[in-house]
C-alpha cells in the first residue's frame, strides 16, 4: 500500500454516458451525449465510456457521434465478452473498448452459462481480436469483488498477457469493504495497470476508490453526480476533491465540475440533492448565525476548501437560525443601512418567517426592512393580468403589467404555459430595464393536483441580483409574480423612469 500523497496524478474514466445512463428512466439523446462528452473533455477526463454499442442502432448512432467529436479524451464502448459486441463498437469508430467478462462464480456459471476455463480462453481470444483491430482495451472482471481472488488474478493476468492495455477491479454490486478493495487491487496491481470501478450500495464508493488508489490503481471509473445503477457509481467530483484537498493529487479539472454537474442533472432529469458534496445547492451556503458570523470573519471558518476551487460561489442564506451579522451583511448587499435597534427588529422578523418553515428571500428581507425603517415605497412594476393557454397547439400567454404607471401588454409563445408567460413578461419588461433570469426552481408545498407551489427565482441586472419567491396554486401565476416582484426590487433604487420615450 502506498501513501496517497505520493501518488501525484490519477486518471479518470467517466461512465456517465454508459453506467450513468443505466440509472432507471434515463435516456440521453445523441445531442445530450455529444454536449456532455464535450464538457467532460473540457474537464480533462481521460477516458469517456460513451455507451454500449450492443444496445441497438440508436445507441450506436449516439456513440458514433461522440467518437466523431475529435476529443482529446479516449472514447470507448462497453462490450460483453462476445465478438459481435466488439464488431459493433468498431462500427462506431471508438478508440477503445471496456471488455466486460464475468469473474465471480455466479456470473460465470449462472449468468453467462460457461466454465471458468472457457471464460479465460474466450477472454484471451477477444483481447487479441480487439488489439489486432487497433483498439485500446481495458478488461473488466465483472463482479470482481465477489469473485474468488485467485481466479480473478488468473483471468485478468491472462488478459494482460494477451495484450490488454489495462485491467479493472469491479465492485459491480457495491459489496466490498475497504479491506476487501485493498486486498483485491493490491494483488491485481502486480499484473499491470489497474483501474477501479466502485458503486455506492454501502455508501463506500469514494472510500473504496481511494483505497484502490493506495493499493496501486491509477485510473478511477465513475460518473458525475454519482448517477448509475441502483445507488449509483462513485461520484468523480467527490473523488477528485478528496484527492486534491486531502492529498494534493491531480485528476480532472475541478473548476469545470459544477457546470458539468448541472448539465448532467438537466439532461438526465436526476436532480442534485441539496446536501450533495461539491455540487449540491447547500454545499457552500451558510444559514445559521454562528456559521455566518464566523464565515464573515474568515471565509474558511466553516468550509474545507473555497467554493471557487470547484467553480462555485459562497452564499449566505437567511432563515430561522439567522443572527445579526448575517442579516446585516445581507442588508449591506442591497445597500440598506439600519440602526442597531432596527437591525434587532429585522432579525426577529426574519426568524419569525423562518419559524414558519419558509426560506427568507431577498425580497422578504427588503420588505421587512422597508416596514421597520418606515421607508415603505410604491411599487414600480406590478402584474395587472395574466392569461396562459396550452393544449395541442403552441402554448401562448399574454401579460398585462403596470410599469411606472404605464400599462404594458405583451404576448409570447413558449414550450409550455409557464415558459410562454415568462417570455411575455420578459418582453414587457425588457423595453426599458434589461434583467437576466439566473435561476428558476419550483417546490410543491402540499400534495395533490391542487398543490400550492412555490417558485423561487434569481434575477440580475448589472451587478445587482435578487432572489424572490411567490406561492400560488397556479404555477404560471406564481412564476410571473416572482419575476415581476424581482424586477420591481431590481429597479427600486433606479432614478431613471422606466417609461420609454417612444
Ligand atoms: C455491470 C453492468 O453495468 S452490465 C451493463 C449493462 N448494460 C446493458 O445491459 C446494456 C443494454 N442492454 C441491452 O440492450 C440488451 O440487454 C442486450 C442488447 C445487450 C442483450 O439483449 P438480449 O440478447 O435480449 O439479452 P438479455 O438482455 O435478455 O440478456 C443478456 C445476455 O447477455 C449475456 N451476458 C451478460 N453479461 C455478459 C458478459 N459479461 N459477457 C458475455 N455475455 C454476457 C447474458 O448471458 C445474456 O445472454 P443469454 O440471453 O444468452 O443468456
Amino acid at each position: 500500500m502506498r501513501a496517497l500523497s505520493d501518488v501525484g496524478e490519477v486518471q479518470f474514466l467517466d461512465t456517465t454516458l454508459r453506467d450513468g445512463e443505466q440509472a432507471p428512466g434515463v435516456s440521453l439523446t445523441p445531442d445530450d451525449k455529444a454536449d456532455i462528452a464535450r464538457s467532460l473533455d473540457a474537464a480533462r477526463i481521460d477516458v469517456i465510456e460513451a455507451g454500449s454499442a450492443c444496445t441497438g442502432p440508436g445507441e450506436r448512432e449516439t456513440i458514433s457521434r461522440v467518437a466523431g467529436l475529435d476529443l482529446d479524451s479516449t472514447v470507448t464502448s462497453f462490450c460483453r465478452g462476445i465478438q459481435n459486441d466488439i464488431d459493433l463498437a468498431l462500427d462506431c469508430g471508438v478508440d477503445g473498448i471496456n471488455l466486460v467478462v464475468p469473474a465471480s462464480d455466479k456470473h460465470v456459471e449462472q449468468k453467462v452459462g460457461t466454465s471458468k476455463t472457457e471464460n479465460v480462453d474466450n477472454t484471451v481470444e477477444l483481447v487479441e481480436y480487439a488489439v489486432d483491430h487497433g483498439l485500446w482495451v481495458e478488461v473488466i472482471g465483472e463482479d470482481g469483488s465477489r469473485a474468488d481472488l485467485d481466479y480473478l488474478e488468473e483471468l485478468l493476468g491472462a488478459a494482460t498477457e494477451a495484450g490488454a492495455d489495462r485491467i479493472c477491479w469491479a465492485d459491480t454490486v457495491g459489496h466490498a469493504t475497504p479491506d476487501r478493495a485493498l486486498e483485491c487491487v493490491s494483488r491485481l496491481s502486480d499484473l499491470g495497470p489497474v483501474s477501479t470501478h466502485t458503486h455506492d450500495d454501502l455508501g463506500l464508493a469514494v472510500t473504496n476508490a481511494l483505497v484502490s488508489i493506495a493499493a496501486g490503481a491509477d485510473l478511477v471509473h465513475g460518473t458525475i453526480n454519482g448517477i448509475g445503477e441502483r445507488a449509483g457509481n462513485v461520484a468523480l467530483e467527490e473523488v477528485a476533491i478528496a484527492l486534491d484537498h486531502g492529498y494534493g493529487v491531480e485528476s480532472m479539472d475541478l473548476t469545470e465540475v459544477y457546470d458539468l454537474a448541472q448539465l448532467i442533472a438537466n439532461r438526465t432529469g436526476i436532480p442534485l440533492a441539496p446536501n450533495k458534496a461539491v455540487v449540491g445547492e447547500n454545499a457552500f451556503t451558510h444559514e445559521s448565525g454562528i456559521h455566518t458570523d464566523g464565515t464573515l470573519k474568515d471565509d474558511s471558518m466553516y468550509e474545507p476548501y473555497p467554493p471557487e476551487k470547484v467553480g462555485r460561489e459562497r452564499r449566505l442564506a437567511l432563515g430561522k437560525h439567522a443572527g445579526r451579522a448575517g442579516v446585516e451583511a445581507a442588508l449591506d448587499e442591497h445597500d440598506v443601512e439600519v440602526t442597531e435597534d432596527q437591525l434587532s427588529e429585522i432579525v426577529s422578523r426574519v426568524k419569525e418567517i423562518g419559524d414558519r418553515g419558509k426560506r427568507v428571500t431577498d425580497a422578504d428581507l427588503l420588505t421587512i426592512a422597508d416596514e421597520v425603517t418606515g421607508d415603505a415605497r410604491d411599487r414600480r412594476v406590478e402584474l395587472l393580468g395574466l392569461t396562459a393557454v396550452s393544449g395541442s397547439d403552441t402554448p401562448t400567454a399574454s401579460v398585462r403589467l403596470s410599469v411606472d404607471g404605464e400599462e404594458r401588454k405583451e404576448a409570447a409563445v413558449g414550450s409550455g404555459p409557464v415558459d410562454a408567460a415568462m417570455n411575455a413578461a420578459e418582453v414587457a419588461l425588457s423595453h426599458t430595464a434589461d434583467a437576466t433570469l439566473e435561476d428558476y426552481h419550483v417546490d410543491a408545498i402540499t400534495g395533490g393536483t391542487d398543490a400550492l407551489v412555490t417558485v423561487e427565482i434569481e434575477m440580475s441586472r448589472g451587478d445587482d441580483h435578487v432572489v424572490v419567491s411567490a406561492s400560488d396554486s397556479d404555477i404560471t401565476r406564481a412564476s410571473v409574480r416572482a419575476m415581476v416582484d424581482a424586477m420591481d426590487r431590481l429597479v427600486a433604487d433606479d432614478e431613471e423612469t422606466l417609461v420609454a420615450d417612444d
Side-chain angles (χ1 to χ4, degrees), residues 18-19 22 54-55 78 80-82 100 102 111-112 142 172:
R18 199 277 294 174
D19 223 342
Q22 285 169 212
C54 56
T55 302
F78 169 98
R80 291 170 297 173
I82 296 175
V100 180
K111 189 185 75 167
V112 176
E142 190 178 1
T172 306

Side-chain angles (χ1 to χ4, degrees), residues 49-303:
E49 192 179 18
S52 306
C54 56
T55 302
E59 176 77 339
R60 288 194 278 285
E61 185 195 329
T62 309
I63 297 172
S64 304
R65 175 91 182 274
V66 174
L69 292 176
D70 194 24
L71 305 177
D72 288 336
S73 313
T74 299
V75 176
T76 64
S77 167
F78 169 98
C79 294
R80 291 170 297 173
I82 296 175
Q83 189 189 310
N84 190 49
D85 281 18
I86 301 177
D87 292 332
L88 294 172
L90 283 165
D91 290 345
C92 297
V94 291
D95 305 311
I97 58 167
N98 306 94
L99 182 65
V100 180
V101 294
S104 64
D105 288 1
K106 66 169 90 219
H107 275 242
V108 174
E109 285 153 16
Q110 266 176 271
K111 189 185 75 167
V112 176
T114 185
S115 70
K116 285 179 165 181
T117 312
E118 277 175 37
N119 188 40
V120 174
D121 295 344
N122 181 49
T123 302
V124 168
E125 269 177 40
L126 293 176
V127 170
E128 288 172 351
Y129 181 79
V131 171
D132 281 350
H133 284 77
L135 291 167
W136 173 91
V137 181
E138 178 185 67
V139 178
I140 304 175
E142 190 178 1
D143 204 19
S145 56
R146 290 192 297 184
D148 172 69
L149 192 42
D150 290 336
Y151 178 67
L152 185 64
E153 211 171 26
E154 179 191 338
L155 175 68
L156 296 182
T160 307
E161 278 175 28
D165 293 88
R166 57 172 49 248
I167 52 178
C168 178
W169 176 70
D171 186 19
T172 306
V173 299
H175 146 92
T177 51
D179 45 321
R180 177 70 176 160
L182 180 65
E183 183 190 16
C184 294
V185 179
S186 299
R187 289 259 298 264
L188 297 181
S189 62
D190 288 338
L191 303 173
V194 178
S195 313
T196 182
H197 181 108
T198 60
H199 278 268
D200 212 26
D201 300 72
L202 299 181
L204 287 172
V206 173
T207 308
N208 285 341
L210 296 180
V211 166
S212 297
I213 297 167
D218 61 352
L219 185 150
V220 175
H221 285 206
T223 61
I224 301 296
N225 303 343
I227 61 169
E229 296 268 5
R230 308 179 311 280
N233 292 64
V234 72
L236 285 179
E237 68 278 9
E238 294 180 14
V239 179
I241 194 64
L243 286 171
D244 176 284
H245 176 71
Y247 307 100
V249 177
E250 280 189 33
S251 56
M252 66 184 296
D253 180 354
L254 277 165
T255 58
E256 298 285 333
V257 144
Y258 187 53
D259 287 348
L260 203 43
Q262 286 184 311
L263 174 69
I264 287 161
N266 287 338
R267 301 299 176 90
T268 59
I270 301 179
L272 290 168
N275 61 333
K276 167 86 180 60
V278 186
V279 293
E281 191 189 337
N282 293 347
F284 300 97
T285 302
H286 308 276
E287 184 202 295
S288 60
I290 294 168
H291 283 223
T292 305
D293 169 64
T295 302
L296 287 164
K297 287 172 178 160
D298 177 340
D299 289 346
S300 67
M301 196 70 77
Y302 285 100
E303 287 167 4

Side-chain angles (χ1 to χ4, degrees), residues 404-433:
D404 274 349
E406 178 189 74
E407 189 170 317
R408 291 204 191 144
K409 287 185 209 155
E410 290 292 347
V413 294
S415 58
V418 173
D419 189 42
M422 294 291 270
N423 290 341
E426 205 174 330
V427 177
L429 293 166
S430 66
H431 289 321
T432 45

